[in-house]
Amino acid sequence: MNPEYQDILLAHSNDIIHRWMNELEDSKLKEYKSTISDEMIEQVNREFVNMIFDKLKNDSSRESIEQFSERIVNLGWPLGYLTGGMQSFRSICIRTLIEKIDRHDPETFLQVMDDVNQWVDPIKNELIDAYSSNWSNIISLQKVALQELSAPLIPVMDGVTIMPLVGTIDTDRAKLIMENLLDGVIKNRADVVLIDITGVPVVDTMVAHHIIQAAEAVRLIGATCILVGIRPEIAQTIVNLGIDLDKFPTKSTLKRGFEKALEMTDRQVIKTNDHDDKVVDDIIQSIDKE
C-alpha cells in the first residue's frame, strides 16, 4: 500500500473502528443479540478489526486469521459476518482516504480503491478459506459422531448384545449396520444379537432386505439374530409385501426378545420373591437408557 495512505488509515484507525463497529452492530448480528450478549459481540468485533489492522502494520501471520475464523465457526456465526464485515470495512477505509487526502481527481480515486482492495481482498480470501476449512472439519466430526450413534451395538451380558435402530434406514446406513453387527459380534463374542426396530418408522422391502442380509451375515459367523419391535402395522406391511422372515426369530417387544435370548443362551430368570418380579423389566429399562 502507498505509505501515505497507510499513514492516514493508521492515524484515523480509531474513527474507522468506531464507524465500522456501528455498521456491524446494525447488520449481520441482529439475529444473535437475543442469545449472545452485547459485550461478546463487541469483543469479537474488536478482535476482527484489530486483526485487520495488524495485517496492515506488520503483515501478521495466517495463524491469527485461522484462529479468528475458528472462533467464528465455534460461535455458530455465518460466513456473511466475515464477508459483509470486510466489505463494510473496505468502504469505510475508501471514504476515509478520499476525505483526508487533498487530491480528488479520478486517477487518485482509482489508486485509493486499488490500494485498499490489495490490502483487504487477501485478508477476506484467507478468512473465507479458513472459515470453510474449520466448518468442513466440524461437519466431518459431526458426521462420524452421527454414524457411531446411528447403529450402536450394546453388550448387555455375556453372549447377548442389542442393536437399537432409530430413524430411516438407507443403503449407506444399512452398510454401517452390517459392519457394526459383524465387528460387534466378533469383538463381544456374542451368541445372540437383538435388532430392535421399534424406532424405525417404515419397514419396506428395501429395509427388510437389509435386515435379512445383516441377520444372514451374523448367522454365518456363528451367532443368531432376533428381530424385535414388530408393531402391528409393520407386521401387516411385511405380510403384504411377502417378505420371508422365517430364517430368524421375531418378537413384538424388546422384553420378549431378551427373554428369548436368555433361553437361547441357557439362562433363565428365577423369581425369589415378590420384589424380584421386575428383574427383566429393570434390565430392559437400563438398556433403553443407553
Side-chain angles (χ1 to χ4, degrees):
M1 175 177 284
N2 185 318
E4 178 190 358
Y5 300 161
Q6 180 171 331
D7 291 341
I8 292 173
L9 291 174
L10 292 175
H12 297 85
S13 60
N14 288 335
D15 180 54
I16 293 172
I17 291 171
H18 178 73
R19 292 165 63 182
W20 183 74
M21 290 183 69
N22 285 339
E23 284 198 16
L24 274 187
E25 277 201 33
D26 293 337
S27 57
K28 294 293 180 184
L29 296 178
K30 283 183 178 179
E31 59 188 286
Y32 294 94
K33 289 190 175 181
S34 59
T35 56
I36 299 177
S37 66
D38 290 338
E39 291 77 12
M40 171 63 78
I41 292 176
E42 182 175 354
Q43 178 186 347
V44 175
N45 288 345
R46 180 71 62 175
E47 291 177 17
F48 195 176
V49 74
N50 287 341
M51 178 197 64
I52 298 172
F53 271 109
D54 285 344
K55 194 76 172 176
L56 177 64
K57 290 184 288 187
N58 52 30
D59 194 24
S60 60
S61 67
R62 180 178 172 84
E63 184 179 353
S64 62
I65 292 178
E66 291 178 346
Q67 290 175 349
F68 181 74
S69 296
E70 182 178 3
R71 178 168 169 77
I72 297 304
V73 171
N74 290 335
L75 287 171
W77 292 5
L79 179 60
Y81 166 72
L82 297 178
T83 56
M86 292 301 299
Q87 184 61 38
S88 173
F89 185 81
R90 182 206 313 270
S91 299
I92 292 172
C93 288
I94 291 174
R95 289 200 302 268
T96 300
L97 288 172
I98 296 299
E99 291 169 1
K100 301 304 178 182
I101 60 180
D102 297 330
R103 304 175 302 280
H104 297 93
D105 56 282
E107 183 177 347
T108 300
F109 178 74
L110 292 175
Q111 183 62 48
V112 166
M113 290 190 63
D114 286 343
D115 277 24
V116 172
N117 288 339
Q118 289 174 14
W119 169 38
V120 170
D121 284 346
I123 302 175
K124 179 180 177 181
N125 292 336
E126 288 183 30
L127 281 169
I128 292 174
D129 288 344
Y131 182 97
S132 300
S133 177
N134 283 305
W135 184 259
S136 297
N137 289 338
I138 288 179
I139 295 299
S140 297
L141 291 174
Q142 289 177 341
K143 184 177 180 180
V144 170
L146 287 173
Q147 285 178 338
E148 292 176 350
L149 292 173
S150 67
L153 197 65
I154 306 168
V156 291
M157 61 173 53
D158 289 344
V160 180
T161 60
I162 296 177
M163 176 175 279
L165 300 178
V166 178
T168 303
I169 299 176
D170 56 17
T171 302
D172 290 337
R173 191 178 178 199
K175 181 180 178 182
L176 184 65
I177 290 170
M178 178 84 76
E179 292 174 354
N180 284 6
L181 265 177
L182 298 178
D183 291 343
V185 167
I186 295 173
K187 179 180 178 181
N188 299 310
R189 299 181 180 178
D191 297 314
V192 180
V193 179
L194 291 89
I195 302 179
D196 184 7
I197 62 170
T198 304
V200 178
V202 178
V203 176
D204 55 16
T205 304
M206 184 191 73
V207 173
H209 176 69
H210 289 320
I211 292 174
I212 291 172
Q213 277 191 324
E216 274 295 306
V218 169
R219 184 182 66 82
L220 290 174
I221 59 175
T224 302
C225 272
I226 301 177
L227 183 63
V228 302
I230 306 291
R231 304 187 300 277
E233 62 272 22
I234 290 180
Q236 185 174 4
T237 299
I238 290 173
V239 170
N240 291 338
L241 292 173
I243 298 170
D244 182 14
L245 297 180
D246 291 337
K247 294 184 179 180
F248 55 98
T250 61
K251 295 293 178 182
S252 59
T253 65
L254 182 57
K255 176 182 177 181
R256 293 181 177 178
F258 187 69
E259 291 172 344
K260 179 65 175 179
L262 293 178
E263 177 185 330
M264 294 174 67
T265 54
D266 297 323
R267 298 184 178 97
Q268 60 179 335
V269 178
I270 300 176
K271 299 179 182 179
T272 58
N273 53 52
D274 293 339
H275 295 291
D276 291 334
D277 288 345
K278 296 183 179 180
V279 171
V280 174
D281 287 336
D282 290 341
I283 295 174
I284 298 301
Q285 288 175 7
S286 66
I287 294 170
D288 290 338
K289 289 178 181 178
E290 294 286 337

